[in-house]
Amino acid sequence: MIKTMKRKIIRLSGACALLLASCTNLDPDIYSDMTIDKILDDSEQSSAYLLTPMYGQMRWFNEDRSIWDLTELGTDAWVIPTNSDGGWYDGGIWLRLDNHEWKSTDPHFSTCWSHLWYGITTCCNRVLHQFEEAGLELDEQTLAEVRAVRAFYYYYLLSLFGNVPIMETYDVPKDYMPTTRDRKEVYDFVVRELRESMDKLPEEQRYSRFNKWAAKHLLAKVYLNAESWLGSEYAAKRDSTLILCNEIIGSTKYQLDDSFSNIFSLQSETSPEIIFAVPYDETTGSPIFHCIYAKTQHWACKPIYNAGSGGYNGLRAVPSYVKETFDATDPDHYNDKRYRQSYCMGQQYDYLTKQPLYFTDGVTPFNYVNEIASIDDAREFDGYRFGKYEIKIGQKWETDQDWVVFRLGETLMMNAECLLRSGDAQGAADIVNEVRRRSFDPSLPQSVRELTAEQLSASTVVDGVSVPYGEFLKELGREFTGEGMRREQLIRWDVYVNGSWTFHTPKQKKYLELYPIPSSELLSNINLRQNDGYSY
């Protein structure tokens, strides 16, 4: 805990949010030019400067081989096939991810592990340590903010790796090797940090910084997943999810956006639905929100957006997911607006001339189709592309779109899921239809625009598995495609290791619901232990 001294750091203002957009130097020496005198002379600005890296590090979550990949790839929603020219093979790491045949040496795991631990140790614990070393006391609100953000990083370790160390201090002995803690201990730590912090945070909207409602939303997610993480005895934690969601909704701080596309537009900061987002700025160069453009668009896509850079032609929608989730056999006559707003599909056109485009052979139409010929021999036009976020005219490799992390739509759907699982199907249907309403023309029949309680409560086949509330699971897919939630959704429904989808056969091995601890970490720390089921 921070030492109590006479001099205190006052609460942070909006300056931190402004600084966040320009913070790209995440080197451990980022604070080397800050002195105690500077902090005391202008504590508000200096404090904002010191806390900025906690949020800046989150921008790495959507880089290549990082958090987005581990939450969406390997599910029924997205795949990176090997192209016919051999592109994206990369030694088979993407194919292993899709097939649930990964190795602890695969680079995704070490990259994600490093990003998360950097956020915890260097961007959170080090901030606390530096104030303590300076003999300064953080005010209650700012300390709560650091703890809540640290819990956010831990949430991903808890979800992805499960059994990990708990590090609350930066100042540790040389050659210190933290010890693996059981998943339940990590869960208890995250819950404690959020419960002790959330009501000390401000209630006003902040967009790119944690407030009370962002912390409550995160804790609601933790409780919602507790049963699938820790066992059936944690099913009752959904009652806590329900309470937290109702508090967020009842605050009236956020409203559903009338426009689904506005949430993911280049002006997303105007959306009344967003609880917490991570800003990106193309002028800073790196990191890049990789999956929204560079990873998914074809390299010949520049004329579509009058863009400065093309794509890598990698990420594609899984065809069976598109068909099953949206039941869209005729895209031109499909009623759910979220379908076209989630994918780049069909014939593409030159932005300037409005003429149809062709691929590199000059003959094949530049027409994204909902099929993939082969997982290891994909054609140029195979697969719908990720299109949920607005692509900027003049798009560069660098990204100007902000990552939407928490939004009221998810709060409402967590609420609905808890009601549905508790037996209140009508209450769940009312909420689901409230969220759906903006995505359907009001002139359409009610049977098209709305889902009934009976539909939501019935057992339905999803990915070849008959599951209770299967239509609700499909609705989660329609609403949250590509938002980094699909892996947890499939695990909650026991479909992740049991389901079948295009090019994927189920392994039916429960241990695959946790990723392996990276082999590089095991080699460097003898106190870590590998997750069950993995040999090394």
Side-chain angles (χ1 to χ4, degrees):
M1 181 58 64
I2 306 302
K3 296 177 182 177
T4 301
M5 302 293 288
K6 293 181 180 179
R7 303 294 294 268
K8 291 188 177 184
I9 296 297
I10 65 175
R11 291 179 178 175
L12 307 185
S13 72
C16 184
L18 296 175
L19 286 168
L20 175 58
S22 61
C23 177
T24 58
N25 179 14
L26 299 177
D27 185 82
D29 294 328
I30 189 168
Y31 310 127
S32 59
D33 63 337
M34 297 300 294
T35 66
I36 301 303
D37 290 338
K38 286 182 180 179
I39 293 175
L40 294 175
D41 287 343
D42 190 350
S43 59
E44 182 173 324
Q45 181 177 354
S46 299
S47 299
Y49 176 83
L50 289 172
L51 264 64
T52 293
M54 298 193 317
Y55 294 103
Q57 177 67 1
M58 295 176 189
R59 296 169 65 198
W60 290 96
F61 280 26
N62 300 294
E63 263 286 357
D64 195 30
R65 300 180 182 179
S66 197
I67 304 300
W68 191 93
D69 289 347
L70 294 190
T71 57
E72 289 287 349
L73 293 173
T75 75
D76 59 354
W78 301 99
V79 65
I80 296 181
T82 300
N83 289 330
S84 57
D85 62 0
W88 287 95
Y89 177 66
D90 289 2
I93 60 172
W94 302 104
L95 302 182
R96 289 196 293 274
L97 195 56
D98 179 65
N99 293 328
H100 294 187
E101 295 175 346
W102 43 71
K103 301 176 181 179
S104 62
T105 55
D106 285 343
H108 294 84
F109 306 126
S110 57
T111 299
C112 291
W113 182 277
S114 297
H115 286 171
L116 292 169
W117 280 110
Y118 191 94
I120 291 167
T121 58
T122 302
C123 298
C124 292
N125 289 347
R126 187 175 182 181
V127 166
L128 298 179
H129 172 69
Q130 287 183 312
F131 279 107
E132 185 176 8
E133 286 292 290
L136 301 170
E137 181 188 12
L138 282 177
D139 70 280
E140 186 178 65
Q141 177 179 299
T142 305
L143 178 59
E145 185 174 0
V146 176
R147 293 177 69 187
V149 171
R150 184 173 62 185
F152 176 76
Y153 286 103
Y154 261 107
Y155 160 77
Y156 283 98
L157 285 171
L158 175 64
S159 177
L160 300 173
F161 299 104
N163 308 290
V164 301
I166 295 175
M167 294 281 290
E168 296 184 74
T169 59
Y170 180 79
D171 187 21
V172 296
K174 183 180 180 181
D175 299 324
Y176 173 75
M177 296 183 181
T179 301
T180 295
R181 304 288 188 92
D182 290 338
R183 197 179 200 182
K184 183 185 180 303
E185 291 182 79
V186 183
Y187 166 86
D188 289 340
F189 172 74
V190 172
V191 168
R192 186 194 76 201
E193 290 293 284
L194 291 171
R195 289 187 65 85
E196 293 181 2
S197 301
M198 59 190 187
D199 290 326
K200 298 172 185 176
L201 292 169
E203 296 189 2
E204 67 266 17
Q205 296 177 353
R206 286 176 130 192
Y207 185 73
S208 59
R209 289 178 63 191
F210 261 63
N211 62 5
K212 175 188 290 190
W213 314 114
K216 286 178 181 285
H217 185 102
L218 176 58
L219 183 56
K221 287 170 69 79
V222 172
Y223 283 140
L224 183 66
N225 288 288
E227 181 184 12
S228 65
W229 290 342
L230 300 171
S232 58
E233 63 270 27
Y234 282 81
K237 291 299 180 181
R238 287 196 296 271
D239 293 340
S240 298
T241 296
L242 199 60
I243 291 169
L244 290 163
C245 289
N246 283 328
E247 289 177 354
I248 297 169
I249 296 164
S251 74
T252 69
K253 296 290 184 181
Y254 306 95
Q255 294 82 40
L256 285 174
D257 201 313
D258 292 336
S259 168
F260 183 75
S261 60
N262 186 55
I263 304 167
F264 311 99
S265 72
L266 292 163
Q267 294 78 40
S268 58
E269 70 276 5
T270 66
S271 175
E273 185 166 333
I274 296 175
I275 298 172
F276 176 62
V278 175
Y280 282 74
D281 182 3
E282 68 177 9
T283 62
T284 62
S286 180
I288 301 169
F289 196 166
H290 218 64
C291 61
I292 64 168
Y293 183 75
K295 193 175 221 163
T296 193
Q297 292 288 342
H298 191 276
W299 55 77
C301 75
K302 289 194 291 184
I304 304 172
Y305 309 103
N306 196 27
S309 305
Y312 284 148
N313 199 36
L315 180 68
R316 331 282 175 97
V318 174
S320 58
Y321 174 87
V322 175
K323 293 176 183 176
E324 183 173 279
T325 301
F326 289 95
D327 190 24
T329 55
D330 184 0
D332 292 330
H333 297 90
Y334 190 66
N335 296 307
D336 191 335
K337 297 176 184 178
R338 293 172 296 187
Y339 178 50
R340 282 198 172 276
Q341 291 171 349
S342 296
Y343 300 113
C344 294
M345 61 177 73
Q347 176 65 52
Q348 303 297 300
Y349 296 86
D350 187 297
Y351 175 76
L352 296 176
T353 68
K354 313 305 180 187
Q355 295 300 307
L357 293 171
Y358 296 86
F359 283 113
T360 50
D361 62 4
V363 177
T364 305
F366 196 142
N367 178 26
Y368 292 137
V369 298
N370 187 38
E371 59 183 75
I372 299 175
S374 171
I375 189 68
D376 49 21
D377 190 22
R379 301 166 299 188
E380 289 184 282
F381 51 83
D382 277 348
Y384 288 171
R385 309 308 168 98
F386 190 28
K388 196 166 204 172
Y389 283 80
E390 179 183 357
I391 302 299
K392 185 176 184 177
I393 302 304
Q395 180 79 36
K396 305 175 183 178
W397 284 120
E398 299 79 10
T399 313
D400 228 12
Q401 297 88 342
D402 296 345
W403 171 37
V404 179
V405 186
F406 302 146
R407 60 183 177 95
L408 185 66
E410 185 189 8
T411 313
L412 289 165
M413 292 298 278
M414 286 195 290
N415 195 328
E417 183 175 335
C418 293
L419 292 177
L420 185 60
R421 292 183 184 274
S422 69
D424 185 1
Q426 187 56 56
D430 291 342
I431 295 172
V432 168
N433 291 324
E434 179 185 357
V435 176
R436 280 172 63 93
R437 190 169 297 126
R438 62 187 168 195
S439 298
F440 293 84
D441 192 301
S443 64
L444 292 168
Q446 184 176 4
S447 60
V448 173
R449 292 181 284 111
E450 298 185 357
L451 294 172
T452 66
E454 291 74 18
Q455 287 174 297
L456 293 175
S457 59
S459 291
T460 308
V461 175
V462 179
D463 296 331
V465 181
S466 180
V467 293
Y469 324 121
E471 189 62 37
F472 185 88
L473 177 56
K474 291 182 182 180
E475 185 63 18
L476 291 178
R478 298 174 192 122
E479 181 69 21
F480 301 113
T481 292
E483 294 186 49
M485 305 178 195
R486 192 58 177 175
R487 175 179 169 274
E488 286 185 349
Q489 292 167 0
L490 294 183
I491 290 174
R492 289 204 303 276
W493 262 262
D494 204 24
V495 173
Y496 185 68
V497 298
N498 296 311
S500 303
W501 49 87
T502 307
F503 307 121
H504 175 88
T505 56
K507 297 299 181 289
Q508 297 180 328
K509 296 177 180 178
K510 188 72 173 176
Y511 77 85
L512 292 171
E513 291 181 353
L514 278 180
Y515 289 121
I517 305 300
S519 61
S520 57
E521 299 299 324
L522 296 172
L523 289 171
S524 63
N525 182 357
I526 60 173
N527 291 330
L528 293 182
R529 71 171 186 268
Q530 184 57 275
N531 284 329
D532 292 343
Y534 298 101
S535 58
Y536 186 68

